[in-house]
Amino acid sequence: MDCERCREAISAGLDGEAGARESARAEEHRQGCAACRTWAELAAVVTRRVRTGPADPAPDLSTAILGPEAALSGAACGCAATCGCGCQQGRSCRCAPQVA
């Protein structure tokens, strides 16, 4: 197997598209080729970064899930409406740390 075919097989393997025979031949080539070993390591890093990049912003669904009362927090301490410590009913917040 030459370097070009090896790198195509490595790429296919990273995408879950390589067959067992193709992967075995690429691995055999890699064992004797420092350039393809380096290429495989860098390709794996790029693939990981692309797949684990930042998530796209998502809408706040708390009101849709928890009901309209979830949006009525208004607590000076910063607790969520579902916190349960009593601050939503005007009692002192028992959560730590409190937000000033």
Side-chain angles (χ1 to χ4, degrees):
M1 178 177 275
D2 63 16
C3 291
E4 184 178 348
R5 287 184 185 229
C6 178
R7 292 172 187 186
E8 287 175 8
I10 292 166
S11 179
L14 290 169
D15 294 338
E17 300 171 348
R21 182 176 176 193
E22 183 180 30
S23 294
R25 290 185 65 213
E27 181 58 34
E28 183 179 322
H29 175 87
R30 242 188 316 200
Q31 289 177 2
C33 182
C36 285
R37 280 194 306 273
T38 300
W39 192 92
E41 291 169 9
L42 295 174
V45 168
V46 169
T47 300
R48 227 179 351 267
R49 286 185 180 165
V50 167
R51 291 185 179 164
T52 60
D56 293 332
D60 180 4
L61 300 174
S62 58
T63 302
I65 295 169
L66 301 173
E69 60 277 357
L72 303 175
S73 175
C77 62
C79 287
T82 57
C83 129
C85 79
C87 63
Q88 303 301 322
Q89 291 78 35
R91 294 190 290 276
S92 295
C93 181
R94 295 176 290 165
C95 298
Q98 293 183 4
V99 178

